[in-house]
């Protein structure tokens, strides 16, 4: 009797051998154990950059004097600004900011050169889309240094007297949409998309694999059902669950974090439906591929991780290299994060939301198509 | 029984990769008949049932099931057949009533509520209808599964080892119920390992390694194999077994407690083989071959019956 209480190397080894055999048999788990670290290394190592440069900026150039041009080229040379287009009016500039097509609008007003030479400290207005304070922070911080450096050369000789303490120009920065740079204003709306992505894919990912694991799939298939009935029947309840989550987050955003809500909630809820369906379709697709619930969960994480990191939710989208932005553009979360921030913080309307909504809809359609193709009506 | 065919299929074949699981099986089951489908584990019984009800696509074969084309009209077959899986496959996290209700909705049963209520009453589970199916014992799960399979009043019932793990009393009740249903015109195709159950079928077939080896009534099947069997009782039967197996003419020995059945194809050779052992305390007499003798004989004849 007594020797059974001792630690037995033989039994320990038996356990060890069995675990290794089972690990080797479950190819997907093994693949994920290698794949997830690789994915993280690539994403964190190469894709993520907390100090984004070359941010697109539009210019309103109402004065064609040399000083204005000097300032613009120094902005470009700072590495933070990429002057991509010129616009005529402030309205036009604001529109680009709202749609997220540029991060900044630099406004060089009329008579800039004249006022500069006179020593009247002309105003240089930089408007920033500051929804994500992390994206614009460094670029704005670099502004005054870049400008002073640029003008030092011009302030030689007769203009030297202008190099007074408070600077030769009156630099004004307007941080639009989130003037106080409150992180929560940016994170909480984005969180809605993150929560929906994780939970919607997870629950539906388990939906069909659970039937298969418990043996109830055989029963279901022996009944006269069409795949579309089964799939839609499994999706609809979770659309409801998704809306409960949306409601919870909106409630918290409003009353706990006091996130401003400028846009139409009805518009946001409509966009949310498309986004929820896209994620459910991904989940169902995983569900038809995975052979058990563990695999479905692993696939969910394999999809969730890039979504989280490449969507612009946690790290500045514009800080990522081109290839990472391209992957990000495919993911529904990227567009939904922009939609939620756009509606709540910028008060965007149907026009600019539509631009972000169709990629989500397309993604949903493709995922649903794959799910329908993959769903087996037989046990073959 | 009116002689009309409920199932009439020819050359049903299914391969999984290189492995022939069902190998050109012909089967004719008459309406209102209880047809037993026997064979060792892995012989292709379940695969055959699944092909009949459209759960697996047959690689080859043709014929009809309930008058519908067995290959192309599986939707129609599904509507009129009830299939009871080997493993309990109803939803354990739904209550008894919810399971029945779900199935009734799936088949678009008329007067659904009333049908479910009657089904519960027949089951004797009206009082426990809110209990989760997962909390039922094996015997009750099996009764629930049967009730659920019958809720849409199918014309054909496919039962895959319905009484595995069920106690003898429940097993007998189950078979009484099957006979009662067949009496009302339901056709039943049932797979089983139990000889007593095989004998309760009107006709039966024996399948091994995907091939149909024999079929007919119990008497037909026994008669066709022309097996001669002797029963022997006496001291040290294991030792006797070892010696008998060496002798030509002895094909199989099957122990039955204190006696043993010794069988062979060739009655004369068998008689010669046992002649030396007829004295010393052994008591021999020739008996009718039983179904079990015949099936073991069939299994031994077909090479390698283990599932791979």
């Amino acid at each position: 009797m007594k020797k059974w209480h001792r630690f037995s190397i033989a039994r320990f080894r038996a356990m060890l051998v069995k675990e290794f055999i089972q690990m080797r048999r479950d190819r997907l788990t093994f693949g994920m154990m290698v794949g997830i670290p690789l994915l993280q290394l690539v994403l964190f190592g190469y894709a993520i950059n907390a100090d984004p440069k070359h941010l697109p900026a539009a210019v309103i150039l109402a004065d064609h004097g040399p000083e204005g041009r000097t300032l613009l080229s120094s902005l470009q040379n700072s590495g933070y600004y990429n002057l991509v287009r010129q616009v005529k009016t402030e309205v036009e500039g604001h529109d680009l900011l709202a749609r997220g097509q540029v991060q900044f609008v630099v406004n060089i007003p009329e008579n800039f050169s004249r006022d500069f030479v006179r020593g009247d400290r002309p105003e240089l207005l930089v408007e920033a889309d500051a929804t994500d304070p992390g994206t614009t922070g460094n670029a704005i911080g670099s502004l005054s240094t870049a400008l002073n450096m640029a003008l030092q050369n011009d302030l030689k000789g007769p203009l030297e007297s202008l190099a007074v303490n408070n600077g030769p120009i009156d630099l004004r920065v307007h941080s639009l949409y989130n003037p106080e740079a409150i992180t929560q204003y940016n994170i909480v709306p984005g969180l809605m998309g993150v929560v929906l992505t994780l939970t919607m894919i997870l629950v539906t990912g388990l939906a069909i694999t659970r039937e298969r694991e418990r043996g109830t799939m055989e029963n279901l298939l022996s009944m006269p059902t069409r795949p579309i009935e089964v799939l839609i029947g499994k999706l609809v309840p979770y659309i409801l669950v998704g809306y409960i989550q949306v409601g919870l987050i909106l409630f918290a955003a409003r009353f706990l974090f006091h996130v401003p809500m400028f846009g139409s909630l009805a518009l946001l809820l409509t966009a949310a439906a498309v986004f929820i369906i896209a994620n459910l379709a991904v989940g169902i697709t995983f569900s038809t591929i995975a052979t058990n619930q563990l695999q479905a969960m692993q696939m969910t994480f394999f999809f969730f991780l890039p979504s989280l990191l490449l969507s612009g939710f946690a790290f500045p989208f514009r800080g990522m290299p081109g290839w990472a932005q391209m992957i990000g553009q495919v993911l529904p979360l990227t567009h939904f994060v922009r939609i939620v921030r756009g509606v709540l913080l910028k008060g965007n309307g149907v026009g600019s939301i539509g631009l972000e909504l169709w990629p989500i809809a397309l993604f949903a359609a493709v995922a649903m198509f794959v799910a329908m193709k993959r769903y087996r009506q037989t046990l073959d | 029984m009116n002689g009309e065919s409920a199932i009439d299929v020819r050359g049903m074949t299914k391969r999984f990769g290189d492995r022939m699981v069902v190998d050109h099986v012909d089967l004719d089951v008459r309406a209102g008949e209880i047809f037993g489908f026997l064979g060792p584990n892995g012989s292709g019984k379940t695969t055959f049932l699944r092909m009949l009800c459209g759960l697996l696509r047959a690689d080859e074969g043709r014929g009809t099931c309930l008058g519908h084309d067995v290959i192309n009209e599986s939707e129609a077959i599904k509507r009129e057949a009830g299939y009871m899986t080997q493993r309990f496959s109803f939803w354990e996290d739904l209550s008894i009533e919810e399971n029945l209700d779900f199935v009734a909705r799936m088949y678009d049963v008329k007067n659904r509520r009333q049908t479910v209520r009657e089904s519960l009453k027949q089951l004797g589970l009206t009082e426990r209808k809110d209990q989760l199916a997962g909390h039922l014992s094996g015997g009750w799960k099996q009764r629930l599964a049967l009730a659920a399979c019958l809720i849409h009043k199918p014309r054909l019932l496919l039962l895959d080892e319905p009484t595995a793990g069920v106690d003898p009393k429940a097993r007998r009740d189950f078979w009484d119920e099957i006979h009662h249903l067949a009496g009302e015109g339901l056709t039943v195709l049932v797979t089983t390992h139990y000889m007593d159950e095989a004998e309760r079928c009107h006709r039966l077939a024996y399948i091994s390694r995907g091939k149909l080896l024999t079929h007919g009534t119990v008497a037909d099947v026994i008669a066709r194999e022309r097996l001669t069997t002797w029963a022997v009782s006496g001291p040290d039967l294991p030792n006797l077994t070892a010696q008998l197996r060496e002798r030509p003419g002895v094909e199989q020995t099957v122990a039955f407690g204190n006696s043993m059945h010794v069988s062979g194809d060739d009655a004369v050779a068998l008689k010669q083989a046992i002649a030396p052992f007829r004295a010393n305390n052994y008591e021999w007499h020739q008996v009718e071959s039983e179904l079990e003798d015949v099936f073991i004989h069939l299994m031994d004849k077909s090479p390698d019956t283990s599932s791979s």
Side-chain angles (χ1 to χ4, degrees), chain A residues 210-226 229-230 377-380, chain B residues 14 16 50 53-57 75 78-79 83 85 87-91 93 102-103 106-107:
Chain A
R210 191 190 298 126
E211 302 264 6
R212 205 172 293 144
E213 249 180 5
R214 294 187 183 172
T216 49
M217 198 67 196
E218 186 180 0
N219 199 343
L220 200 58
L221 289 176
S222 75
M223 297 179 198
T225 52
R226 313 286 321 157
E229 295 159 357
V230 176
Q377 240 188 318
T378 61
L379 293 169
D380 283 279
Chain B
K14 182 74 191 174
F16 290 140
R50 285 175 173 174
C53 62
L55 274 174
L56 286 174
R57 236 179 288 279
E75 285 302 310
K78 281 179 187 178
R79 259 190 288 276
Y83 171 49
T85 55
R87 179 180 152 194
F88 181 73
S89 64
F90 287 87
W91 288 266
D93 46 358
F102 173 73
V103 179
M106 271 287 175
Y107 287 98

Side-chain angles (χ1 to χ4, degrees), chain B residues 199-262:
Chain B
E199 283 167 3
R200 297 192 69 165
C201 296
H202 298 123
R203 287 197 304 152
L204 48 90
Y206 188 84
I207 184 173
S208 177
R209 302 194 80 212
K211 284 197 171 67
L212 196 75
L213 298 182
T214 185
H215 67 102
T217 61
V218 174
D220 285 346
V221 167
I222 293 174
R224 193 172 304 131
E225 290 306 312
R226 302 176 169 284
L227 201 65
T228 308
T229 301
W230 288 80
V232 56
S233 53
D236 199 7
L237 289 176
N239 182 36
L240 180 66
T241 307
Q243 293 184 48
L244 279 171
R245 286 213 168 143
E246 301 294 314
R247 313 276 301 177
V250 176
E251 281 180 20
Q252 68 188 45
T253 58
V254 183
F256 285 92
N258 294 326
S259 75
M260 180 171 70
H261 281 192
V262 183

Side-chain angles (χ1 to χ4, degrees), chain A residues 5 31 52-54 72 76 79 132 156 167 205 216 313 330 342:
Chain A
H5 294 288
K53 304 229 162 121
H54 310 293
L72 291 180
Q76 183 90 20
D132 177 10
K156 296 276 158 60
T216 49
F313 163 73
V330 175

Side-chain angles (χ1 to χ4, degrees), chain A residues 67-348:
Chain A
E67 283 79 10
R69 296 205 171 276
T70 313
L71 287 180
L72 291 180
S73 66
S74 79
L75 287 184
Q76 183 90 20
N77 290 339
S78 74
Y80 282 108
Y81 298 85
N82 185 15
L83 307 176
V84 287
R85 59 202 293 178
Q86 204 172 339
V87 293
K88 294 238 154 46
T89 62
E90 282 191 32
V91 176
E92 228 179 308
H94 283 164
D95 191 46
L96 290 176
L97 283 174
R99 290 180 179 213
Q101 283 171 342
V102 295
Q103 198 79 40
F104 300 98
V105 174
V106 182
N107 195 339
I108 298 196
E110 271 181 66
N111 304 325
F112 184 83
S113 277
R114 194 195 67 192
D115 293 351
F116 179 77
V117 177
R118 279 188 190 166
D120 282 353
R121 299 190 73 233
E123 186 180 90
L124 176 71
L125 177 65
V126 176
E127 290 172 301
D129 170 0
T131 20
D132 177 10
T135 305
T136 47
N138 285 349
I140 290 172
S142 77
L143 261 180
S144 58
T145 334
L147 295 180
N148 286 331
M149 295 260 290
L151 294 173
Q152 246 158 30
N153 294 329
D154 288 3
L155 295 176
K156 296 276 158 60
L159 296 177
E160 205 163 354
S161 60
L162 294 177
V164 283
N165 281 346
N166 53 357
I169 55 169
D170 180 11
L171 173 64
R172 301 231 170 146
V173 177
H174 285 180
S175 292
L176 300 181
Y177 312 127
N178 188 359
E180 289 157 87
I182 297 173
T183 319
Q184 281 86 336
Y185 286 10
N186 182 51
I187 292 295
V188 174
L191 201 59
M192 187 191 291
V194 172
V195 167
L196 286 175
T197 300
L198 183 60
T199 52
M200 292 296 103
I201 296 181
L202 199 58
V203 284
T204 46
L206 300 181
I208 289 179
T209 39
R210 191 190 298 126
E211 302 264 6
R212 205 172 293 144
E213 249 180 5
R214 294 187 183 172
T216 49
M217 198 67 196
E218 186 180 0
N219 199 343
L220 200 58
L221 289 176
S222 75
M223 297 179 198
T225 52
R226 313 286 321 157
I228 188 90
E229 295 159 357
V230 176
L231 292 184
I232 297 203
K234 280 192 172 286
L235 289 190
V236 170
Y238 294 112
I239 295 181
L240 211 72
V241 175
Y243 269 117
I244 293 174
Q245 293 184 330
V246 168
L248 271 175
I249 291 174
L250 280 178
F251 181 85
R254 183 84 186 80
F255 297 104
L256 297 182
F257 299 104
H258 311 290
V259 175
M261 296 183 181
F262 291 114
S264 144
L265 279 188
L267 179 63
L268 181 61
L269 293 180
T270 311
V274 181
F275 180 66
I276 290 171
I277 290 170
N279 284 309
L280 293 177
V282 174
I284 285 278
T285 306
F286 288 168
S287 202
T288 58
I289 296 169
T291 50
N292 57 50
Q293 297 193 53
L294 179 66
Q295 287 189 354
M297 282 174 73
Q298 288 169 334
M299 287 181 182
T300 304
F301 270 96
F302 214 75
F303 183 82
F304 178 68
L305 203 59
S307 289
L308 185 69
L309 298 179
L310 302 182
S311 61
F313 163 73
F315 303 97
F317 189 80
R318 292 206 163 101
M320 303 190 304
W323 61 266
Q325 291 198 8
M326 259 162 63
I327 298 175
Q329 293 284 10
V330 175
L331 301 170
L333 182 59
T334 306
H335 301 281
F336 190 65
V337 164
R338 291 178 192 165
I339 289 175
V340 187
R341 288 174 181 170
V343 171
L344 293 186
L345 303 180
K346 300 179 177 179
N348 282 353

Side-chain angles (χ1 to χ4, degrees), chain B:
Chain B
M1 268 182 268
N2 51 17
E4 183 198 331
S5 278
I7 301 171
D8 184 8
V9 291
R10 297 275 169 266
M12 296 299 281
T13 299
K14 182 74 191 174
R15 296 179 197 89
F16 290 140
D18 290 339
R19 208 156 59 87
M20 195 76 120
V21 183
V22 175
D23 188 357
H24 297 92
V25 168
D26 302 345
L27 196 70
D28 181 8
V29 178
R30 290 172 212 135
E33 184 172 47
I34 300 176
F35 197 98
F37 213 55
L38 284 96
N41 291 326
S43 55
K45 303 187 297 287
T46 300
T47 305
F48 184 77
L49 286 195
R50 285 175 173 174
M51 281 196 289
L52 282 183
C53 62
L55 274 174
L56 286 174
R57 236 179 288 279
D59 291 322
E60 281 173 52
R62 64 199 154 74
T64 58
C65 185
L66 298 172
H68 307 291
D69 188 283
V70 74
I71 305 294
N72 299 318
E73 296 178 335
S74 49
E75 285 302 310
I77 297 172
K78 281 179 187 178
R79 259 190 288 276
E80 292 181 71
Y83 171 49
M84 187 170 149
T85 55
Q86 197 168 333
R87 179 180 152 194
F88 181 73
S89 64
F90 287 87
W91 288 266
E92 303 207 335
D93 46 358
L94 293 189
S95 73
I96 294 163
E97 187 182 30
E98 286 159 349
N99 266 300
L100 291 172
D101 191 63
F102 173 73
V103 179
R105 280 179 198 270
M106 271 287 175
Y107 287 98
D108 214 355
V109 170
K110 295 213 170 58
N111 301 323
R112 198 186 76 245
R113 283 166 200 284
Q114 200 193 331
T115 310
V116 170
R117 218 169 20 241
E118 275 167 16
S119 175
L120 281 168
K121 203 170 141 198
Q122 257 180 9
L123 263 173
L125 283 175
T126 308
E127 249 109 87
R128 295 161 69 186
K129 65 183 165 63
D130 295 323
Q131 209 176 331
L132 295 185
H135 294 167
L136 291 172
S137 67
W140 279 106
K141 275 184 181 167
Q142 177 237 33
R143 295 191 60 183
L144 169 62
L146 180 65
C149 287
L150 291 170
I151 207 150
H152 62 294
K153 308 214 162 36
R155 289 162 61 206
L156 170 67
L157 194 54
L158 302 168
L159 305 171
D160 196 2
E161 291 184 24
T163 55
V166 170
D167 69 57
K169 164 82 164 67
R171 223 151 63 96
R172 208 182 62 197
D173 293 346
F174 183 82
W175 273 91
D176 286 346
E177 172 76 8
I178 296 296
H179 270 274
H180 173 71
L181 291 164
E184 291 177 346
L186 183 72
T187 311
V188 181
L189 179 57
V190 52
T191 72
T192 178
H193 286 301
Y194 299 113
M195 294 306 139
D196 61 318
E197 291 188 353
E199 283 167 3
R200 297 192 69 165
C201 296
H202 298 123
R203 287 197 304 152
L204 48 90
Y206 188 84
I207 184 173
S208 177
R209 302 194 80 212
K211 284 197 171 67
L212 196 75
L213 298 182
T214 185
H215 67 102
T217 61
V218 174
D220 285 346
V221 167
I222 293 174
R224 193 172 304 131
E225 290 306 312
R226 302 176 169 284
L227 201 65
T228 308
T229 301
W230 288 80
V232 56
S233 53
D236 199 7
L237 289 176
N239 182 36
L240 180 66
T241 307
Q243 293 184 48
L244 279 171
R245 286 213 168 143
E246 301 294 314
R247 313 276 301 177
V250 176
E251 281 180 20
Q252 68 188 45
T253 58
V254 183
F256 285 92
N258 294 326
S259 75
M260 180 171 70
H261 281 192
V262 183
S263 312
D265 263 339
D266 187 336
V268 181
L270 182 65
K271 199 165 183 179
Q272 281 172 0
I274 64 171
F277 306 97
R278 302 223 28 189
N280 20 345
N281 305 333
Y282 290 117
E283 199 176 310
W284 292 85
H285 48 102
Q286 196 172 351
V287 294
E288 294 281 318
S289 292
E290 289 176 17
L291 206 51
E292 184 153 355
D293 301 317
V294 171
F295 283 155
I296 289 168
H297 174 68
L298 284 168
M299 219 191 294
D300 287 345
K301 266 207 315 198
S302 83
D304 184 15
T305 50
S306 68
S307 67
S308 49

